[in-house]
Amino acid sequence: MNLNAVKSAPLCTALILLLAASFSCSKKAMPTRTQSVLGTVCSINAYDDASDKLYDELFARLKEIDDRFSTTKRDSDISHVNAQAGIKAVPVHRDVYFVVQTALNFAQKTDGAFDPTVGPLVKLWGINTENARVPSREEIDAALPLVNWRNVQMDPGDGETSKRIFLLQKGMALDLGGIAKGYAADEMARILGEHNVRQAIVNLGGNVYAYGSKKDGSKWKVAVKNPQHPSSDPALAICFNQNNSVVTSGAYERYFEKNGRRYHHIINPKTGYPEQNKVGSVTIVSRSSIEADALSTAAYILGPSEYFKIERTAALFILEDCSVKASLQLAGKIEVLNQSFSNITFR
């Protein structure tokens, strides 16, 4: 996984913004801690329960995850697995084994719309790097046979230290940029729970986890950007009482333009090209951030009709014509902030 090319670029380039006015902050609370990790800017606010010790533990865990999953760090588990593709199985940490196995489960569920072996295509396009370019049709045709989640062999071994992963074909490459931040957010929630934290906001470069309940009893609000004009006022807000992750995928922030055409980072594993459909953005809401992360990518590629046929996890699609299609679970939980997006259909 190139953690410099995950869903959200540095300085909060995900489609999700926290509404600052939607939660209060005690004068006794420590400042939010913000650090660069996972290839983006991550911030955590534990409010009245914040402490240096807690923040140290949380950010140390984020660094561990970064060190194990990054494709740009030669000593990461993922880099080792990719380097030995078609050669041999590689021992991996249980973190990596769990996330790859979970990614394969989502690949199966979505019929490959989410595919953790998309690495060769990600490298070809180089979006959000200085090497961004439009590959030739021949290059894409050569890379497509290497993108096949079924060719990942998982060996659980007989203990925590004997787990192995083998990419069966030389040239294959894992890229977990569409799921690793979700795992990291879930780990933040786990640690917050172990410390009996009552309320917290975890924002991993736009992958948001609202943990616990707000002190004043009001709802959390997470705003969804206007995909047509992301720097303007948000389109909608999703409101809930406690413990939800909100993850958005969209095509408007990590892209490059060539000959008047925009090429974004959400690559369809079956075609090899950035998905071109009528979807502006997709937001997934779930208590599981790893689920929200993976499904937001898959849902963007599938589109609302196909997504709602196979998956019931709460989703909100903003289409290019500004109409909104949302899961019935979100009825009563969506606040319209821009009247251009008031045409909401639930299903």
Side-chain angles (χ1 to χ4, degrees):
M1 174 185 55
N2 182 350
L3 285 172
N4 290 315
V6 288
K7 286 191 179 69
S8 305
L11 297 180
C12 217
T13 59
L15 306 178
I16 301 171
L17 289 175
L18 285 176
L19 291 177
S22 67
F23 43 81
S24 60
C25 185
S26 167
K27 292 181 180 179
K28 295 181 180 179
M30 296 183 64
T32 300
R33 181 177 292 189
T34 300
Q35 291 181 201
S36 294
V37 64
L38 300 174
T40 189
V41 176
C42 299
S43 64
I44 302 174
N45 187 346
Y47 297 94
D48 291 350
D49 297 313
S51 68
D52 283 330
K53 181 179 179 181
L54 173 63
Y55 285 150
D56 288 347
E57 181 176 348
L58 290 166
F59 280 93
R61 182 68 174 122
L62 290 178
K63 186 178 184 304
E64 276 186 347
I65 293 170
D66 192 6
D67 289 343
R68 290 171 183 151
F69 286 89
S70 174
T71 58
T72 61
K73 296 182 179 181
R74 296 181 61 183
D75 289 334
S76 75
D77 283 14
I78 294 300
S79 290
H80 290 161
V81 171
N82 290 347
Q84 297 300 319
I87 301 172
K88 65 179 181 180
V90 175
V92 297
H93 189 273
R94 63 180 179 274
D95 283 346
V96 175
Y97 191 92
F98 171 78
V99 174
V100 173
Q101 185 62 70
T102 302
L104 295 176
N105 293 342
F106 281 114
Q108 182 177 26
K109 175 183 283 192
T110 63
D111 191 27
F114 176 84
D115 192 325
T117 66
V118 74
L121 292 172
V122 172
K123 184 176 181 180
L124 265 185
W125 285 91
I127 296 171
N128 208 43
T129 74
E130 58 185 16
N131 300 316
R133 66 186 182 91
V134 180
S136 68
R137 179 74 254 186
E138 291 75 19
E139 288 176 301
I140 290 174
D141 287 343
L144 282 173
L146 302 175
V147 181
N148 187 347
W149 62 270
R150 295 178 178 85
N151 286 339
V152 182
Q153 188 176 88
M154 307 292 289
D155 178 6
D158 56 6
E160 290 296 325
T161 60
S162 58
K163 300 181 183 303
R164 295 174 180 268
I165 298 176
F166 183 27
L167 304 183
L168 298 180
Q169 192 172 354
K170 193 172 182 61
M172 288 182 68
L174 293 171
D175 189 303
L176 300 172
I179 196 170
K181 283 203 302 178
Y183 175 66
D186 286 338
E187 282 294 283
M188 298 300 95
R190 177 184 63 80
I191 294 170
L192 290 168
E194 290 176 351
H195 287 268
N196 298 314
V197 172
R198 290 163 291 180
Q199 69 174 53
I201 282 289
V202 176
N203 187 350
L204 306 184
N207 185 317
V208 177
Y209 201 111
Y211 178 84
S213 300
K214 289 173 62 177
K215 185 177 180 179
D216 62 6
S218 62
K219 293 183 178 181
W220 297 105
K221 288 185 181 181
V222 179
V224 180
K225 284 186 177 181
N226 176 344
Q228 296 181 350
H229 303 286
S231 61
S232 65
D233 291 339
L236 306 161
I238 297 173
C239 311
F240 51 89
N241 290 320
Q242 62 179 357
N243 292 355
N244 265 308
S245 180
V246 182
V247 181
T248 302
S249 285
Y252 59 81
E253 289 193 324
R254 287 199 292 117
Y255 64 89
F256 69 95
E257 294 183 352
K258 181 74 173 180
N259 297 327
R261 183 174 178 182
R262 178 179 294 189
Y263 297 91
H264 62 78
H265 72 291
I266 307 175
I267 299 172
N268 187 323
K270 296 181 179 180
T271 67
Y273 285 88
E275 180 61 34
Q276 299 295 326
N277 54 26
K278 298 184 182 301
V279 176
S281 69
V282 183
T283 299
I284 304 293
V285 183
S286 172
R287 290 176 69 92
S288 165
S289 193
I290 196 170
E291 176 180 65
D293 211 5
L295 287 179
S296 66
T297 299
Y300 187 94
I301 291 170
L302 291 168
S305 296
E306 291 303 312
Y307 176 84
F308 288 128
K309 287 179 183 177
I310 67 171
E311 182 56 45
R312 301 313 305 168
T313 303
L316 184 152
F317 290 80
I318 297 180
L319 305 185
E320 289 181 350
D321 63 2
C322 296
S323 64
V324 179
K325 297 186 182 299
S327 300
L328 192 58
Q329 301 103 301
L330 295 178
K333 299 178 180 178
I334 299 174
E335 180 180 334
V336 177
L337 303 177
N338 182 326
Q339 290 303 311
S340 297
F341 300 91
S342 59
N343 179 17
I344 305 175
T345 303
F346 292 97
R347 51 180 304 179

